[in-house]
Amino acid sequence: MAKKKKKAEIVLTPEQQLEADYQKAVRRMEGAEKMLQPEDKVHMYKEAMLMFETLGDYKDSEVRRKRCKKRLPLARREHREDVYQTGMRLKEEAKSSADYEAAITQFHRLRREYKDIPDQIAECEKLRENARKNERVKGLVKKLSALAALAAAVVLVIFLRSPAAYYLEGTFLMGIQDYERANTIFASSKGYRDTKEKLVECNYQRAMAAAGRGDFTKAVSLLRDKVGDYKDALEKKAKCEMEILKTAKVGDIVSFGTARWIVAETASQPQKILLIRKRPSQAKEVYQETGRAALWETSKMRAWLNQDFYQSCFSGYEQAAVAQTQVTTSANSAYGTQGGNITNDYVFLLDEQEAERYGKLLASSENQKAWWLRTPGKSEGSTVFVSAEGKVMHYGYASDTKDIAVRPAIWVQIPSGS
């Protein structure tokens, strides 16, 4: 048999290639104008624009690119309206929770500010939840309909909406270790029998599962907000917090104890991390009582932070990780007011130099409160503070007021080999 001859490869000159690219871009532009689907039209206009842009000043490429750019917004509007109308149609024709989910997905393709998208999503979510409840009831009724008369079915429907029914279903789901669904079901039987205790157990198991797959943030959240001191939850929570802190970087927001903190600094040998309260909070104590010098070492604020706050914010397992820190309070940099003796503290306030060093890190529109520093102010009865705008006020403020918030800081020791 005669061998087939290889088809000769066509090699275009640069001028021919340029013309070929131009014709391809023209076809793409003309194709966009004929497209019926707005989404396809948007994609083709974008492609044509890029192709003409690549061609530069070849023939009328720039004119055509501008024409595509001019027509693109209209195509986008048509596309958005098409998506919106599709979502509205799906919503109107919806017969099940899955149908409402499809409508929600469609609406999420649009910017939230487009028309009434937030309202449509909220309404669909409500209708979806109602549909899910109805589907659940219908499913259970269907399974039992062969064994019961119409009257019994009515009684059953009433029962299925009762706390007792939810309690039984939740107990069954716990038995098969489906703690996520059990937790949701038990929410409808609150106050019934030992539902409260079962919810705590469900959330404990959910936290353990989250920790097992490395989601320590979720585990900490559940143990802190839903579990409390149940079983060994406090110890488990402290261990999960340590896992988070072990890899935390400066600027991260972390949970430790009952508060949220900003990672301000890390150190090694030994490994430890400086945490500063994310938001200033109202203190339950004045910085210093009237008539006494506002020295950090003798202040009521220091006593409150290292006793009441320390005990209420951290469990015993967390307290074991809070490092006792040697705190030096320098004289006021502007007025020379002496800062007093060195102290050893678990919890402390920043001084004026530290506040300026971490200023950008701590600045936030969420923190519109003035907060104390430990540096004495101009007079012996005043203390330096950071204004709500984030500026260090060296002249200070009367130390016997509760108008200034606090932003505690702690050094946390990361156990070796943790």
Side-chain angles (χ1 to χ4, degrees), residues 25 44-55 65 68:
M44 292 187 74
Y45 273 133
K46 284 182 177 179
E47 290 176 359
M49 282 174 59
L50 288 173
M51 293 167 76
F52 282 127
E53 186 174 354
T54 303
L55 288 166
R65 185 190 68 80
C68 290

Side-chain angles (χ1 to χ4, degrees), residues 30 84 112 121 160 206 233 293 334 360 405:
E30 291 173 347
Y84 178 81
R112 290 185 64 81
I121 291 175
L160 289 173
R206 291 171 65 206
K360 289 184 179 179

Side-chain angles (χ1 to χ4, degrees), residues 252-307:
D252 286 354
I253 306 298
V254 297
S255 289
F256 189 72
T258 62
R260 301 270 287 166
W261 309 79
I262 295 175
V263 178
E265 190 175 329
T266 59
S268 57
Q269 297 180 353
Q271 185 182 0
K272 59 182 182 177
I273 189 167
L274 175 63
L275 303 180
I276 302 172
R277 184 104 180 227
K278 183 186 177 190
R279 295 185 182 182
S281 60
Q282 196 62 41
K284 296 183 180 178
E285 186 58 85
V286 297
Y287 188 91
Q288 181 62 294
E289 56 193 14
T290 306
R292 295 193 62 190
L295 293 174
W296 167 250
E297 63 178 303
T298 57
S299 68
K300 292 180 73 66
M301 180 62 67
R302 176 178 175 242
W304 176 74
L305 286 172
N306 283 276
Q307 294 171 22

Side-chain angles (χ1 to χ4, degrees), residues 93-226:
E93 297 175 357
K95 295 179 180 179
S96 66
S97 59
D99 293 338
Y100 286 116
E101 186 64 41
I104 291 169
T105 300
Q106 190 73 3
F107 285 133
H108 273 303
R109 295 176 63 192
L110 298 169
R111 294 178 181 270
R112 290 185 64 81
E113 65 269 16
Y114 183 77
K115 290 195 173 180
D116 54 350
I117 289 299
D119 294 335
Q120 293 296 341
I121 291 175
E123 186 178 354
C124 282
E125 288 174 342
K126 185 177 179 180
L127 292 169
R128 178 190 61 188
E129 294 310 309
N130 289 337
R132 282 177 177 171
K133 290 179 182 178
N134 292 333
E135 288 163 2
R136 175 178 166 272
V137 172
K138 287 178 182 178
L140 290 172
V141 170
K142 187 177 180 181
K143 291 178 182 178
L144 296 170
S145 61
L147 304 174
L150 179 61
V154 172
V155 172
L156 181 61
V157 170
I158 295 172
F159 171 73
L160 289 173
R161 293 181 179 271
S162 70
Y166 287 113
Y167 178 86
L168 289 174
E169 186 176 355
T171 303
F172 169 76
L173 290 169
M174 280 189 71
I176 61 173
Q177 299 185 354
D178 190 346
Y179 297 107
E180 289 289 343
R181 289 174 61 198
N183 179 70
T184 302
I185 294 298
F186 276 129
S188 298
S189 65
K190 283 184 178 178
Y192 186 77
R193 292 189 180 181
D194 60 342
T195 296
K196 184 177 179 181
E197 290 76 13
K198 287 187 179 294
L199 274 169
V200 172
E201 173 65 17
C202 281
N203 285 307
Y204 175 83
Q205 295 297 342
R206 291 171 65 206
M208 294 304 96
R213 61 177 181 268
D215 190 351
F216 299 110
T217 299
K218 181 177 181 179
V220 168
S221 177
L222 286 168
L223 292 170
R224 180 190 64 228
D225 301 332
K226 304 290 187 181

